[in-house]
Amino acid sequence: AAALTAACLLSVACGQREELQPPVQTALVGGASGQELATVQILRRGNGTEPETLDPHRAEGVTAANVLRDLFEGLVTEAPDGTLIPGAAESWTLSDDGLVYTFKLQGKGRWSNGDPVTADDFVYGLRRSADPATLSEYSAILYPIENAAEVVAGTLPPERLGVRAVDAQTLEIRLHSPTPYLLGLLTHASTYPVHRKSVEQHGARFARPDTLVSNGPFRLGEWVVQSHIRLLRNPHYHDDAHTTLNEVWYYPVENAEAELNRYRAGELDLTETVPARQIPWLRQNLPDELHIAPYLGSYVFGFNTTQPPFRDAPKLRKALALALDREILTSKISGAGELPAYSWVPPVSGYTQQLPDWAQWTQAERNAEAQRLYAEAGYSAS
């Protein structure tokens, strides 16, 4: 069955030459019981803007992360409900002082070319991710690891990063202080392993269809910029027996209206987002196909505090923050179930949000305080 989802924007462009396209599933999926599989096991996904790279240590955007999660597997991964579960590691232990994690890798772990996945692959990948020469935008993810900040800053060599291969199937990660959320960090692409021989042989070109070697459930089959990314099932993946899809096609679609039209025309099975103004219509006409999933993140509107009038004007900045009606933004403008944000960190299990006092005020109370601060900042109604 197909599904509409709300999350991020996507994009497509038409080329002059005819491109390879996946076969369209025309038979009823699900059959009499609703559980029968489609004859053609291909998923066609909308995926926002074109990924800038499929190098897991240099990728930045959500659209690249979507593809990388299919291509690579970190030590830890996530179940559909967000629970942290074993990925490339089958188990792990933590020392009594909370400073040393020891991971046992899956014995059947294989790269897409058949090479075994070893602890050395993770050591190499983590060092590469922290190396300032890699130009990773997410190297701070590694900061809980011993010496990571110094390696990223270039004051220590990557070899001093607190990771080592105890043996081929055992990886040790040493921390500079106890970090209860480390396992969650290890689901990020910046902590994925990379195939050393491929990187050393092909350099910056290692993340292309003819050279990329990955350790996840899929391998990179084709990448036609502004057309599609085609992933093929990786038969060497350690859990291939539980992989159902044979192919995943990612389509860049920048315009949400165009993406919805492609979905309704049967060209997409899953959208990355839907137009906000169409949500009421979709809820009424396609209620069984519209799925709005919780997204762990905060959207922030910023202004340049290094330039007048905001520079050296904290009262003016706070006045604007107070006057911004988040309830109207989420209920009337976006309308997809977003929560008003009064903190950098969204509400998550096991964490107490740090909120300003005015988060509990009415909007009228915030407006009154905003007017007072606005006046104190030297501004008037005129």
Side-chain angles (χ1 to χ4, degrees):
L4 284 165
T5 62
C8 300
L9 280 176
L10 8 156
S11 130
V12 263
C14 297
Q16 296 300 311
R17 64 188 180 90
E18 183 178 354
E19 301 289 359
L20 177 66
Q21 296 293 329
V24 176
Q25 175 69 39
T26 56
L28 178 64
V29 178
S33 72
Q35 300 299 315
E36 286 80 3
L37 295 176
T39 304
V40 179
Q41 281 301 307
I42 297 177
L43 178 67
R44 301 162 302 170
R45 296 187 54 169
N47 193 42
T49 54
E50 186 72 49
E52 66 283 354
T53 179
L54 292 179
D55 179 340
H57 302 151
R58 300 187 68 179
E60 298 178 31
V62 172
T63 59
N66 291 339
V67 182
L68 290 170
R69 276 192 294 269
D70 282 346
L71 289 172
F72 291 90
E73 184 176 65
L75 294 164
V76 181
T77 190
E78 293 177 305
D81 64 356
T83 302
L84 298 176
I85 59 175
E90 66 179 13
S91 64
W92 52 83
T93 58
L94 177 62
S95 62
D96 292 339
D97 60 6
L99 294 178
V100 181
Y101 273 93
T102 304
F103 295 87
K104 286 291 184 181
L105 301 189
Q106 301 277 358
K108 299 187 296 181
R110 293 290 184 275
W111 291 95
S112 56
N113 67 348
D115 289 348
V117 176
T118 68
D120 282 322
D121 294 324
F122 279 92
V123 170
Y124 177 73
L126 290 166
R127 287 175 177 174
R128 179 178 183 270
S129 185
D131 189 339
T134 303
L135 301 177
S136 171
E137 290 291 331
Y138 286 104
S139 53
I141 292 282
L142 309 178
Y143 277 8
I145 301 176
E146 181 182 80
N147 295 332
E150 292 80 4
V151 172
V152 172
T155 59
L156 286 178
E159 291 73 22
R160 292 288 301 278
L161 187 68
V163 295
R164 74 181 182 102
V166 178
D167 57 44
Q169 296 299 308
T170 308
L171 175 73
E172 179 183 278
I173 298 180
R174 301 184 305 278
L175 310 180
H176 67 71
S177 59
T179 308
Y181 53 87
L182 180 78
L183 295 178
L185 297 180
L186 294 178
T187 66
H188 192 268
S190 62
T191 70
Y192 290 169
V194 288
H195 190 256
R196 182 169 188 165
K197 290 181 180 178
S198 299
V199 176
E200 292 178 343
Q201 179 179 353
H202 301 289
R205 300 176 63 89
F206 89 94
R208 300 192 178 189
D210 55 342
T211 55
L212 182 62
V213 178
S214 57
N215 74 319
F218 295 92
R219 58 185 178 86
L220 182 58
E222 186 178 34
W223 185 359
V224 180
V225 175
Q226 290 299 339
S227 175
H228 62 269
I229 294 175
R230 181 190 186 195
L231 305 187
L232 306 175
R233 186 168 174 168
N234 174 16
H236 297 291
Y237 178 56
H238 67 86
D239 199 28
D240 180 61
H242 292 104
T243 300
T244 301
L245 295 171
N246 290 319
E247 298 182 19
V248 181
W249 291 62
Y250 284 90
Y251 294 96
V253 190
E254 292 178 355
N255 185 283
E257 297 281 354
E259 183 188 22
L260 177 59
N261 290 337
R262 293 188 70 176
Y263 172 83
R264 296 186 65 196
E267 296 178 12
L268 297 176
D269 301 309
L270 178 70
T271 69
E272 179 69 5
T273 189
V274 293
R277 68 185 188 89
Q278 296 277 28
I279 290 177
W281 184 90
L282 293 168
R283 281 178 167 145
Q284 180 178 356
N285 294 279
L286 299 174
D288 295 334
E289 298 177 47
L290 177 65
H291 300 274
I292 300 178
Y295 184 88
L296 184 59
S298 298
Y299 287 89
V300 179
F301 295 89
F303 38 86
N304 191 344
T305 60
T306 67
Q307 300 292 328
F310 304 118
R311 186 181 65 191
D312 302 323
K315 291 184 178 180
L316 175 61
R317 299 199 296 264
K318 186 174 181 180
L320 289 177
L322 288 164
L324 183 66
D325 194 329
R326 294 159 175 78
E327 298 285 348
I328 288 180
L329 283 175
T330 54
S331 64
K332 304 297 184 183
I333 305 301
S334 56
E338 296 89 347
L339 301 175
Y342 299 97
S343 171
W344 286 103
V345 181
V348 295
S349 176
Y351 172 75
T352 302
Q353 273 190 300
Q354 306 302 304
L355 299 172
D357 294 340
W358 50 267
Q360 308 302 323
W361 298 357
T362 65
Q363 188 58 45
E365 291 172 328
R366 295 190 197 110
N367 290 343
E369 177 66 5
Q371 290 173 340
R372 185 185 71 80
L373 292 171
Y374 187 70
E376 288 187 3
Y379 295 87
S380 65
S382 59

